[in-house]
């Protein structure tokens, strides 16, 4: 067999921090052959991206350092090379593309310049030759009119086009290894699909190796030959892709797979992983997953498991598969988590109408010239009709810029719409004044996407929640308000004492819970969830979806779920409306739309999402 | 298909220039009002002999403004010489002093900023930052007197006179000292170093710098415009007023025949034509600095020409 393009042996990348040494990457080994695709998966904070940065020798210095292990590129060890030689490898033999195409290109240079620069750094080419090579790459990555684009600055291009430029730049020198770190996460689904196909085609035609880092497991299933599941800086499980998805051995892998939302899990609670990844400065002495593991045994927290091949090509680091460990007395189970996912508790509400939107229009004026006169309109929402019944969830889906967020905000009158009717609980609120709207404000709430920036960092959780109560429930006294806050915090799975803390003390998932608690406090009957779970890790996303679902069963609340994530829609929505350029092109029952889309745009959207084959279910390992 | 720019750079700069003219008109009116409202109607007496004393304010203003546009700022009440000539004589000296001292300020603070942004808090960088704080804390007039004391009284190197013309062996030193004193002692060295370091650190942490490193390119080439050129031009533009103010003091201390000293004397003598001329020139100077800064920004930043992504 050939020498692998990249071989990582017991790689360790540590960081010096105020709390001690953080073992971010702690003994990772794998290799990728020529033309192969290898995927790294895991929650955020597991060391995936740092493994990639270690390979391309870009660990942020001086805090981060190479603490051990070797990396062989085509058989040559590269960690000890002098900086000058490392620079010659970057962009030449090893290239990398990143998650944020919007900010990854330098805004003050043209895209042509930036591509030519890469080529001329590594190859002895004259300026015209390099330009010709860059134009050829532009054409290869499917950029329209390469000649015209060559002299454009990045801000003139869309996210998808910028990612194509990034790929053109990364591949301009025909590298042996391409590292793609969440290359499609920030892009719309249809663009995601194009970019993934592009990487795949180019990989095949250029015979390079690809290291794909992603949290999208369906994407991995469709594109990688081998997968490595990382947890807390170590390899939890590594195997050929098909084998891993058919027969996951590590409880962590099973948990991850079971937390993906999807059509088959409708009506069931999604599986979740309690707690969060331990900080890299203080891992448990034994198995790093102990404490969160549903199959934890007495010895797990103190004895560290080894990564051993338990099936052909399938390596796993878990005591459950170690016959010797299992024969010892400390293999006594500590927990007995049932294998089956429980159904969402509570009755399904009766269908009574709650919200009826007709012919809603919201236009943004375009102002130009010295006097800023209105020269035209962007028709963000151009005549949409929606109905939502009590206790139901309507998903509004579409690509960024289609008007779905504007629609959501217009419906609850956070933005003033220009025309239409919004009948909420029998009253048309379209033309109501702010004062007249007040009773409705407590009945219709919104949760935002970014749990990091949508909470005021200077307000305690109590103040954030109390603010809404003060204005919308003026009759409530202070003791009643505090009681209400404690109550909603408990409802969203936090504790009442947490009301005296500030947002920075919480994790992303907890912050989103605070957002939900804030909305729930004023007793709403309708919540707009604007990409409410899009920024979260899959296991945290599952927790929040479970929470939203069970709140709905408890209180008969209705949701308008604005999202671009169709797996979430499949799982949670009763009805779907597909939005495209300000119009709703198709709407109906979720099952009907997913099984039998009629509009071309809906078909395109559904075809673009990577999916796991139907009928895949996973059982936790071990006997119980 | 070549995409046309929504607004070409030249048009933007023209617009900025038009704004400058409007602003100067406003400044002239403010200056006029202050003098007109001063006791004793010095305006009618001294500045605008063409306009009749006691005439309506608008006709006085108009007459004065027309004179200015023609280049006639009137004559100094003290020396009787043409204001424009007086200003031209001292203006060059002040320009030399301010531009030179800006250069001194930057040549101290820029290297400190670059070093500490690149290398982090090493002992050398800590010392340099400390040094910047110390010299910023020393007032310019005090530093000036100390320098004079050392070089003139203790070392006896040169007399208290201005320029090369004195024929002294170390005359050039006397020419350079005020520039260094104003440059180091205008109180902005540490502020500029800190601001520049922050800007550089911000740019270094941008995603596109990571991209540059990932393709093996020089981090400097990718951070120079955004991290150094634009902030430095901003600093120069915003510090011009302070340096002009500092020049008044330093010119006094060093007996430097510049605009600051002229302004000082004119204020003492109630030489209104001179004061008004200086006010308008200073405003124009400050505004020109801002204009230069905007121009650099527009040229460097393709996005400044406000257009939408397609």
């Amino acid at each position: 067999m050939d020498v692998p393009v990249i071989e990582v042996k017991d790689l360790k990348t540590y960081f010096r921090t105020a709390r001690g040494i953080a073992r971010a990457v702690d003994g990772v080994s794998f290799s990728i052959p020529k033309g192969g695709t290898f995927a790294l998966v895991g929650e955020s904070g597991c060391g995936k991206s740092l493994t990639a940065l270690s390979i391309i020798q870009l660990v942020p210095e001086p805090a981060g350092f190479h603490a051990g292990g070797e990396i062989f590129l085509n058989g040559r060890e590269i960690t000890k090379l002098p900086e000058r030689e490392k620079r010659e490898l970057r962009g030449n033999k090893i290239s990398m593309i990143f998650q944020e195409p919007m900010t990854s290109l330098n805004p003050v240079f043209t895209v042509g310049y930036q591509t030519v620069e890469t080529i001329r750094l590594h190859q002895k080419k004259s300026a015209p030759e390099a330009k010709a090579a860059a134009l050829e790459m532009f054409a290869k990555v499917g950029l329209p009119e390469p000649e015209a684009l060559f002299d454009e600055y990045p801000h003139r291009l869309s996210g998808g086009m910028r990612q194509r430029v990034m790929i053109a730049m990364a591949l301009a020198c025909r590298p042996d290894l391409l590292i793609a770190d969440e290359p499609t996460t920030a892009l719309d689904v249809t663009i995601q699909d194009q970019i993934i196909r592009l990487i795949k085609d180019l990989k095949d035609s250029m015979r390079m190796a690809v290291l794909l880092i992603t949290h999208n497991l369906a994407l991995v299933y469709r594109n990688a030959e081998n997968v490595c599941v990382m947890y807390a800086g170590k390899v939890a499980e590594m195997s050929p892709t098909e084998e891993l998805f058919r027969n996951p051995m590590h409880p962590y892998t099973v948990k991850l797979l079971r937390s993906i939302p999807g059509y088959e899990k409708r009506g069931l609670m999604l599986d979740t992983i309690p707690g969060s990844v331990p900080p890299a400065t203080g891992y448990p002495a034994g198995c790093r997953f102990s404490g969160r593991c549903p199959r934890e045994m007495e010895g797990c927290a103190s004895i560290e498991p080894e990564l051993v091949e338990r099936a052909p090509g399938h390596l796993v680091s878990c005591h459950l598969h170690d016959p010797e460990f299992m024969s010892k007395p400390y293999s006594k189970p500590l927990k007995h988590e049932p294998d089956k996912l429980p159904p969402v508790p509570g009755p399904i509400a009766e269908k009574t109408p709650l919200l009826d939107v007709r012919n809603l229009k919201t236009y943004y004026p375009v102002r130009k010239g010295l006097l800023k006169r209105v020269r035209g309109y962007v028709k963000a929402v151009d005549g949409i009709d929606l109905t939502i019944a009590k206790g139901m969830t309507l998903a509004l889906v579409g690509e960024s810029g289609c008007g779905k967020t504007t629609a959501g905000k217009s419906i609850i009158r956070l933005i003033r719409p220009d025309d239409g009717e919004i009948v909420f609980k029998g009253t048309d609120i379209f033309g109501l004044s702010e004062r007249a709207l007040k009773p409705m404000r407590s009945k219709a709430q919104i949760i935002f996407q970014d749990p990091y920036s949508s909470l005021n960092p200077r307000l305690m959780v109590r103040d954030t929640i109390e603010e809404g109560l003060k204005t919308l429930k003026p009759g409530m006294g202070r003791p009643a308000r505090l009681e209400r806050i404690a109550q909603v915090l408990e409802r969203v799975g936090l504790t009442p004492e947490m009301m005296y803390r500030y947002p920075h003390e919480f994790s992303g998932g907890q912050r989103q819970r605070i957002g939900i608690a804030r909305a729930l406090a004023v007793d709403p009957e309708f919540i707009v969830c604007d990409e409410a779970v899009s920024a979260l890790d899959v296991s945290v996303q599952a927790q929040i979806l479970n929470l939203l679902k069970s709140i709905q069963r408890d209180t008969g609340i209705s949701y308008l779920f604005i999202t671009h994530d169709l797996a979430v829609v499949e799982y949670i929505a009763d009805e779907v409306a597909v939005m495209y350029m300000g119009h709703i092109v198709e709407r109906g029952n979720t099952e009907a739309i997913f099984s039998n889309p009629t509009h071309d745009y809906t078909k395109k959207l559904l075809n673009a999402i990577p999916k796991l084959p139907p009928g895949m279910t996973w059982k936790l390992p071990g006997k119980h | 298909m070549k995409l046309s720019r929504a607004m070409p750079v030249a048009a933007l700069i023209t617009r900025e220039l038009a704004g400058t003219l409007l602003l100067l008109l406003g400044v002239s009116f403010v200056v006029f009002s202050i003098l007109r409202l001063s006791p004793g109607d010095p305006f009618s007496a001294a500045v605008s002999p063409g306009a009749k004393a006691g005439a309506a304010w608008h006709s006085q203003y108009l007459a004065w403004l027309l004179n200015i546009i023609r280049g006639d700022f009137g004559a100094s009440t003290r020396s009787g010489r043409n204001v424009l000539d007086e200003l031209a004589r001292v203006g060059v000296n002040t320009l030399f002093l301010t531009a030179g001292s800006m250069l001194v300020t930057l040549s101290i603070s820029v290297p400190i900023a670059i070093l500490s942004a690149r290398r982090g808090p090493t002992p050398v960088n800590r010392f340099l930052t400390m040094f910047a704080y110390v010299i910023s804390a020393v007032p310019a007039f005090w530093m000036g007197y100390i320098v004079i004391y050392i070089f003139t009284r203790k070392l006896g190197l040169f007399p208290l006179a201005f320029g090369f013309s004195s024929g002294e062996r170390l005359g050039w030193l006397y020419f350079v000292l005020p520039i260094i004193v104003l440059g180091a002692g205008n109180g902005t060295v540490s502020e500029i170093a800190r601001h520049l370091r922050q800007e550089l650190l911000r740019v270094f942490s941008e995603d596109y710098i990571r991209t540059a490193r990932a393709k093996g390119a020089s981090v400097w080439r990718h951070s120079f415009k955004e991290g150094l050129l634009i902030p430095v031009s901003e600093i120069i533009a915003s510090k011009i007023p302070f340096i002009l103010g500092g020049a008044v003091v330093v010119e006094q201390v060093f007996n430097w025949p510049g605009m600051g000293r002229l302004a000082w004397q004119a204020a003492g003598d109630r030489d209104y034509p001179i004061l008004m001329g200086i006010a308008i020139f200073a405003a124009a100077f400050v505004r020109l600095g801002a204009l230069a800064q905007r121009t650099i920004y527009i040229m460097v930043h393709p996005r400044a020409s406000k257009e939408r992504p397609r």
Side-chain angles (χ1 to χ4, degrees), chain B residues 208-263:
Chain B
Y208 60 79
I209 296 299
R210 186 182 59 184
T211 307
R213 295 185 66 204
K215 66 185 191 185
S218 144
V219 169
W220 273 116
R221 187 168 0 163
H222 282 264
S223 51
F224 170 73
K225 285 181 176 179
E226 183 85 43
L228 211 58
L229 186 60
I230 289 180
V232 165
S233 67
E234 271 167 5
I235 285 166
I236 292 176
S238 68
K239 292 299 170 205
I240 284 174
F242 290 93
I243 294 182
L244 278 181
V248 175
V249 175
V250 171
E251 285 179 5
Q252 280 304 312
V253 171
F254 281 92
N255 225 3
W256 182 288
M259 226 183 223
R261 211 168 68 118
L262 186 66

Side-chain angles (χ1 to χ4, degrees), chain A residues 58 87 90-91 98 100 103-107 109 113-114 117-118 121-122 145 148 152-153 155-156, chain B residues 1-3 5 15 207-208 210-211 213-218 221-222 225-226 300 302-303 307 309-310:
Chain A
L58 278 182
R87 252 172 80 167
R90 288 182 208 132
F98 301 96
E100 298 86 8
T103 52
S104 289
L105 291 167
N106 194 326
F109 296 115
Y113 173 87
Q114 294 186 55
E117 183 193 18
T118 316
L121 272 168
H122 301 296
E145 303 175 76
E152 285 300 342
Y153 287 94
H155 73 275
R156 307 253 309 164
Chain B
M1 176 199 66
K2 186 90 186 170
L3 294 154
R5 297 266 173 271
R15 204 172 66 178
D207 288 339
Y208 60 79
R210 186 182 59 184
T211 307
R213 295 185 66 204
K215 66 185 191 185
S218 144
R221 187 168 0 163
H222 282 264
K225 285 181 176 179
E226 183 85 43
V300 168
R303 222 181 311 196
E307 18 170 12
R310 54 180 211 176

Side-chain angles (χ1 to χ4, degrees), chain A residues 18 115 199 205 223 287 327 494 514 526 538 589 602:
Chain A
T115 312
I199 294 177
S205 68
N223 292 286
C287 173
S327 66
L494 301 171
I514 295 168
F526 174 58
V538 62
N589 175 293
T602 318

Side-chain angles (χ1 to χ4, degrees), chain A residues 266 391-394 549 552 572-576 588-591:
Chain A
R266 281 173 76 96
M392 291 291 136
T393 303
L394 172 73
K549 202 86 182 172
Q552 184 169 53
I572 201 167
D574 301 295
E575 289 181 335
V576 184
N589 175 293
T590 305
E591 196 177 354

Side-chain angles (χ1 to χ4, degrees), chain A residues 334-349:
Chain A
L334 288 174
K335 289 177 198 160
H336 291 279
E337 191 177 297
D339 208 28
K340 249 193 145 113
L341 296 172
V344 182
I348 298 168

